[in-house]
Amino acid sequence: MDILLINPPHPSIGSRIPCEHLPPLGLLSVGGPLIDAGHQVQLLNAEFGPMSTRQITEQAVALAPQAILVGHSGSTSGHPIVAEVTHALRAALAQTWIVYGGVFPTFHWEKILAEEPQIDVIVRGEGEETGTQVIHALETNAPLESVSGIAYRKQGVPFATPPAPLIRNLDAYRVGWELIDHNRYSYWGNRRAVVVQFSRGCPHACSYCGQRTFWTRWRHRDPQKFAAELAWLYRVHGVEVINLADENPTASRKAWHAFLEALIAENVPLTLVGSTRADDIVRDADILPLYKRAGVARFLLGIESYDEETLRKISKGGTAIKDREAIRLLRQHDILSMATYVVGFEEERDRDYARGLKQLLSYDPDQIQMLYVTPHRWTPYFREAAHRHVIQTDQRKWDYKHQVLATRHMPPWRVLLWVKFMEAIMQLRPQSLWRLLTHHDLSIRAAMRWYYQIGRRVWPFEIWSFLFLDQRQKDGPTLAEFWGMSQGSEEARENYAESQPLPAPMPEVI
Ligand code: B12
Ligand code: SF4
């Protein structure tokens, strides 16, 4: 079948402010198995430009595919643009199948199928095997009901088949790297870059996390094969920067250690950036030199809050002592730390922000990222927040960089003032500037400069957007009224998936 993968343009700052783009790994992961199954696959990445809906439609019409597969990694805030683009595609290509996948449609399939008649099939969960099976069913006119892990309209009514089993062997499917021109993709200051996954899922259970419910059980690729693929990307395609998409790449010390050793043995000058948990860094204190030798340059630590009570409430499972120690250890090994700080919890007051700032200063991370709490309907946190009022009803702004829920004691302008004040203090304090100017590792200094350059544009842009672009509701609906009730039955998908036996994990002894 002739298949066109479309990555629609995302309106958020993460896509629009940096002049760099990363490959859409989700679509490439679906594309590789489709190519291997004998289909003709092309990718239209509309993030470049960005392309208008009209331009996307014109290109799609010119290519005349039999099926269009669409999805976006920023899936919640990306949904409105997917709806707009697919609507236009349907008007121009009446006979083409339109298949949609990703995290948000996995959980919101029912509403999407009811509201967007142009979408024929939604792939729920991992797309490698299910995507290939859907295309096979469409091509051979087989009943869609025979494919697990999808939703479609059965006799006009949204209908979901049973969840697909988890992919047990992540090495069984390959990424369709041939779908992109590596020259066009960069990160970390115009260095050729890719996004890759060593692992999927997370063994922890933070109550607000939408990702672990999606991937469910933590699984990892073969460490040697993964290292060999990264080395191949460097040698054949000149890739310099590896952005790890993993929720938690270091969850197994044994597997991560094996990967670091394998990558060091490949002897390729790669730069690795990713996210992980502070307690894993503390656990790995003795092997941090290996992190550095393998090329790890920065880890984002999902610290979220510096208040033990909030950490307990969101079931983070971390402690302030470990968080601080992780930052210290990373610095000791010349690895940058980026700490996230989440605001917008219901009972917050000025004194909480003041305390948070004091704590942040004492943690002394190299970079910070301030985020707004953004409850997804498929997370346990959603139930706790269901009564709160939505102040941002534009779904495109549900991107963690806009306040979406009212807080009880503070108007949004004061929350924004605190956020901007904390960002400015953290990034412009003498200690940070001194490191920026004098860090002995020149590559780290360049990376810090790059982050400051992006920050210089993002910081005023967010204030400008708040004042002149964003519309906020005064008496908005409650969260439950806005999205509907919590998706208890969808959370059951996880239990279903977890009931499937997986191969034994690598033993945790080294
Ligand atoms: C790398 C990354 C980025 C990069 C680049 C993204 C890119 N080029 O795709 C940058 C830095 C630009 C970025 C920006 C943003 N990001 Co981001 N990002 C990620 C990250 C770390 C990895 C994405 C990824 O490649 N995942 C791995 C792939 C394999 O998974 P996947 O895309 O879900 O695809 C699988 C399935 O969903 C399915 N599938 C997906 N699409 C389709 C389509 C079809 C047709 C089918 C059949 C199947 C299918 O099959 C795939 C294989 O199994 C994720 C966290 C994560 N671990 O996923 C956050 C994440 C996607 N980002 C997020 C957010 C909020 C953003 C921003 C909105 C931030 C901002 N305010 O600017 C923007 C959005 C713009 C964007 N381009 O995505 C959130 C999205 C939450 C949500 N539910 O909406 C995530 C999940 C982080 C989080 N923990 O919450 N991001
Ligand atoms: S540690 Fe990170 S990925 Fe794991 S459940 Fe918590 S927030 Fe999600």
Side-chain angles (χ1 to χ4, degrees), residues 478-495:
T478 63
L479 188 60
E481 285 162 355
F482 184 63
W483 284 122
M485 288 315 285
S486 150
Q487 288 171 298
S489 58
E490 315 298 323
E491 282 168 40
R493 172 186 169 270
E494 175 189 1
N495 300 333

Side-chain angles (χ1 to χ4, degrees), residues 201-212 246-248 276-277 302 304 314-316:
C202 180
H204 299 276
C206 309
S207 67
Y208 59 88
C209 176
Q211 288 301 104
R212 76 164 302 280
D246 306 43
E247 277 68 38
N248 195 345
T276 197
R277 287 191 47 110
E304 328 304 8
I314 59 178
S315 315
K316 185 74 200 174

Side-chain angles (χ1 to χ4, degrees), residues 296-329:
V296 174
R298 182 184 77 187
F299 262 130
L300 179 149
L301 304 173
I303 286 170
E304 328 304 8
S305 171
Y306 299 82
D307 174 40
E308 296 285 356
E309 182 50 31
T310 309
L311 288 174
R312 243 191 319 278
K313 257 195 201 151
I314 59 178
S315 315
K316 185 74 200 174
T319 64
I321 293 171
K322 282 203 175 154
D323 291 344
R324 186 174 305 159
E325 177 64 359
I327 290 170
R328 190 192 70 77
L329 283 167

Side-chain angles (χ1 to χ4, degrees), residues 6 9 12 18 95 196 201 206 210 306 386 402 441:
I6 298 185
S12 70
Q95 300 306 317
V196 289
C206 309
Y306 299 82
H402 292 84
D441 182 333

Side-chain angles (χ1 to χ4, degrees), residues 1-67:
M1 198 183 258
D2 284 325
I3 296 167
L4 180 62
L5 306 173
I6 298 185
N7 190 36
H10 200 289
S12 70
I13 49 168
S15 279
R16 300 278 68 90
I17 293 249
C19 308
E20 306 186 284
H21 290 287
L22 283 162
L25 178 65
L27 289 173
L28 299 186
S29 304
V30 174
L34 285 171
I35 296 170
D36 293 347
H39 300 288
Q40 290 74 51
V41 185
Q42 294 185 72
L43 170 75
L44 177 59
N45 190 349
E47 287 280 21
F48 290 108
M51 289 171 72
S52 66
T53 299
R54 191 173 53 80
Q55 288 169 324
I56 298 170
T57 313
E58 280 169 6
Q59 289 232 14
V61 168
L63 294 167
Q66 291 161 286

